[in-house]
Amino acid sequence: VTVAPYGIVRLHDTALALRARREYAERERWPRERLDAWQRERVDELVRDAVMRSAFYRDRFEGLLGEGPVQLESLPELDKATMTEHFDDIVADPRLRQAELLPYVERAVRDELLHDRYRVMCTSGSSGRKGLFVWDREAWQALLAGFFRFNEMAGIRPKLPRLRLAALVGANPAHMTARISQTIAIGMHRLHPLPVTTPLPALVAGLNEFQPEVLHVFPSVGALLADEQIAGRLRIRPRVITTASEMRTPAMAERIRTAFGVSPTDLYGSTEGLWASECEHHAGMHVFEDLVVVENVDANGRPVPDGEVGARLLVTNLVNRTQPLIRFAIPDMAVLDSSPCACGRTLRRIVRVEGRADDTISLRGRDGDRVLVHPMQFAPVAHDAAVREFQVVQTGQRLRVRVVLRDGASPPEVAGRLERELSARLDALGAGPDSGIEVEPCDGIARTAAAGGGKLKLVVADPDA
Ligand SMILES: [Zn+2]
């Protein structure tokens, strides 16, 4: 029997990740001082390595590094535009050129390696430019070990007969989630991938037939399936439900719990390297701090204390040495908590994500200033019992709120109620007289594979407004 090298590489990477996972389990419960010391040592190595191997960081950090340990907070932030612009100088291997990698990643159909060691991925760039990310094999093994950590935290353990796992996620093979599934597709679970762009009745039929023990979904899709289960059309009894990739509102989590009797485990997994997962206590997502340093900062880059909403998260990826990301800004407005968790893990938690800063709508105000409408302002829609799901689309000064209503709701009544409430909010924020809001009941909001990899974007801001 001959085994293709492709298979051997995946087996090897998965085996090393499974072995590393045991070591990682101990780190989750280290005393805080030990974890802090571990992070400081890794940051020091990462930064000095980046200065040696990357022209971009050599220039950027010149004169900023003294003899002593690296002070991460004293280094400049890196935003996505700068990363994209300087990609070729940032990466530590001169063979990696953005102009060649972009068409390459579009062609990639399976978990293939470039130059025998690199996995190249992109993010969908729902707010414009695509992000390009390269992980070498060592870093990828660490990321996979992190993925196995998430599985354990969610209560997913390999077993015989194999676990029936249905994953309703994005279909783009260039995205990280698809790559992880491909790497570990060596027979651990019975995997039933369903493109999230499948129409709802077909999803329901497929799931009824497959009867998954584990269901992995975008939270908005999980909430739709919860309605189907309550209505009796969907009849499944998953033991574990995990959610990822979109912002999950408390209302979505509650609906999933009501329908299936299972508390969904939320995962934050990003190609940049920020990974976090809820534990069995569902009290926020534990950041995988042995693999990544996360700083929560305000609009001016100052640290934000626990319990307060920041303007962005700064991510320092401790494992990716090929494309060093040091204080990389992710526009998530989050709340962190460092207090001990009942599970005994010492990893800090992201207790809330309020939305993405780039989902904030900007309108002309009454007095000529810009008025910022934060995604949180649409909470009345998100929490309205008659609303199944919604999307806000901005065109200039006009906001159109498309809503899908539950059976039995009166469209004119719901639209009128929400329009009054949202108009009052816009008014209170100081939006100009030419601004307006319209609530439009519709049959469904399509997930498209192209934009956002099938994710439901709650707010579509108009960048030219
Ligand atoms: Zn915990």
Side-chain angles (χ1 to χ4, degrees):
V1 178
T2 53
V3 181
Y6 172 63
I8 292 176
V9 164
R10 285 152 60 225
L11 264 175
H12 187 74
D13 286 351
T14 306
L16 286 181
L18 281 169
R19 189 157 68 188
R21 168 68 200 120
R22 289 196 285 277
E23 186 188 319
Y24 285 25
E26 290 172 22
R27 297 184 199 156
E28 295 162 23
R29 291 159 201 275
W30 274 349
R32 193 65 228 182
E33 312 78 66
R34 183 160 180 202
L35 196 53
D36 290 343
W38 162 275
Q39 285 195 328
R40 280 195 301 273
E41 283 165 30
R42 298 287 92 72
V43 164
D44 211 83
E45 288 172 7
L46 169 76
V47 170
R48 296 194 190 280
D49 192 53
V51 167
M52 294 260 291
R53 298 167 64 198
S54 145
F56 174 82
Y57 283 113
R58 196 151 46 237
D59 286 354
R60 195 174 178 85
F61 293 168
E62 198 183 353
L64 295 177
L65 305 177
E67 290 295 307
V70 169
Q71 302 296 322
L72 190 60
E73 315 76 45
S74 69
L75 301 176
E77 292 182 22
L78 175 65
D79 60 36
K80 188 176 172 188
T82 309
M83 202 253 308
T84 307
E85 192 185 338
H86 297 279
F87 180 88
D88 292 359
D89 285 334
I90 287 176
V91 290
D93 185 333
R95 291 175 299 177
L96 300 169
R97 306 252 79 49
Q98 182 161 218
E100 291 161 23
L101 295 184
L102 279 172
Y104 165 82
V105 80
E106 288 301 324
R107 284 195 310 268
V109 288
R110 55 174 211 175
D111 190 29
E112 62 190 33
L113 298 189
L114 184 68
H115 304 309
D116 292 328
R117 66 181 269 102
Y118 300 122
R119 286 179 170 87
V120 185
M121 283 155 280
C122 66
T123 52
S124 43
S126 46
S127 49
R129 309 172 84 162
K130 262 187 187 166
L132 194 57
F133 296 91
V134 181
W135 288 70
D136 57 48
R137 284 185 66 185
E138 292 74 21
W140 189 248
Q141 288 156 12
L143 183 138
L144 281 184
F147 178 74
F148 294 137
R149 167 185 285 163
F150 151 66
N151 277 248
E152 277 187 39
M153 289 173 78
I156 306 167
R157 286 185 182 82
K159 66 168 183 69
L160 286 172
R162 289 179 303 159
L163 210 53
R164 288 191 307 278
L165 194 147
L168 271 68
V169 292
N172 189 333
H175 288 185
M176 180 187 64
T177 15
R179 294 300 292 264
I180 292 175
S181 323
Q182 288 164 357
T183 307
I184 63 166
I186 51 171
M188 283 167 72
H189 305 308
R190 271 186 68 194
L191 208 65
H192 190 58
L194 284 164
V196 72
T197 45
T198 312
L200 192 58
L203 274 187
V204 168
L207 289 171
N208 278 337
E209 188 180 343
F210 183 65
Q211 286 296 320
E213 296 165 276
V214 177
L215 183 62
H216 182 59
V217 285
F218 290 153
S220 69
V221 174
L224 288 181
L225 292 175
D227 284 349
E228 294 299 301
Q229 179 90 1
I230 290 167
R233 289 183 288 273
L234 180 65
R235 291 173 298 276
I236 57 173
R237 288 167 55 209
R239 197 167 52 71
V240 174
I241 301 179
T242 60
T243 52
S245 306
E246 291 172 346
M247 195 174 86
R248 192 181 81 185
T249 65
M252 290 174 181
E254 188 49 45
R255 248 147 81 196
I256 294 172
R257 227 178 342 261
T258 305
F260 300 104
V262 173
S263 286
T265 301
D266 207 15
L267 165 74
Y268 189 121
S270 77
T271 321
E272 291 84 350
L274 171 50
W275 279 64
S277 168
E278 283 186 338
C279 66
E280 62 275 23
H281 294 279
H282 303 279
M285 296 179 280
H286 286 284
V287 176
F288 294 3
E289 289 183 285
D290 48 343
L291 309 176
V292 65
V293 176
V294 175
E295 300 168 77
N296 197 10
V297 296
D298 67 15
N300 299 312
R302 283 186 299 251
V304 168
D306 276 7
E308 288 178 25
V309 186
R312 56 183 174 273
L313 296 173
L314 302 182
V315 171
T316 298
N317 182 326
L318 297 177
V319 294
N320 189 343
R321 294 293 180 86
T322 297
Q323 183 180 3
L325 294 177
I326 300 168
R327 307 197 88 208
F328 184 79
I330 294 185
D332 275 326
M333 307 165 84
V335 178
L336 298 192
D337 187 350
S338 312
S339 67
C341 178
C343 70
R345 288 181 184 83
T346 45
L347 307 172
R348 290 156 84 203
R349 284 166 290 150
I350 298 176
V351 287
R352 248 186 11 253
V353 180
E354 298 277 9
R356 303 210 87 176
D358 50 8
D359 286 344
T360 298
I361 285 171
S362 164
L363 296 171
R364 269 191 309 277
R366 277 192 290 275
D367 47 12
D369 286 346
R370 301 302 298 183
V371 166
L372 295 180
V373 186
H374 189 271
M376 270 188 297
Q377 297 294 341
F378 300 100
V381 189
H383 293 135
D384 195 299
V387 175
R388 261 165 81 106
E389 56 180 0
F390 73 98
Q391 186 176 52
V392 182
V393 182
Q394 177 188 20
T395 314
Q397 287 284 95
R398 313 290 302 175
L399 304 184
R400 197 157 54 100
V401 184
R402 306 181 63 219
V403 291
V404 182
L405 301 182
R406 279 173 213 291
D407 295 343
S410 147
E413 197 253 314
V414 178
R417 177 172 76 221
L418 292 175
E419 263 169 28
R420 278 192 301 280
E421 228 172 311
L422 296 174
S423 299
R425 285 186 171 227
L426 286 190
D427 201 46
L429 288 169
D434 56 341
S435 62
I437 198 146
E438 235 173 290
V439 175
E440 183 187 293
C442 62
D443 290 336
I445 297 169
R447 268 87 175 159
T448 60
K455 293 180 206 173
L456 174 62
K457 207 162 155 46
L458 293 181
V459 177
V460 184
D462 178 354
D464 304 322

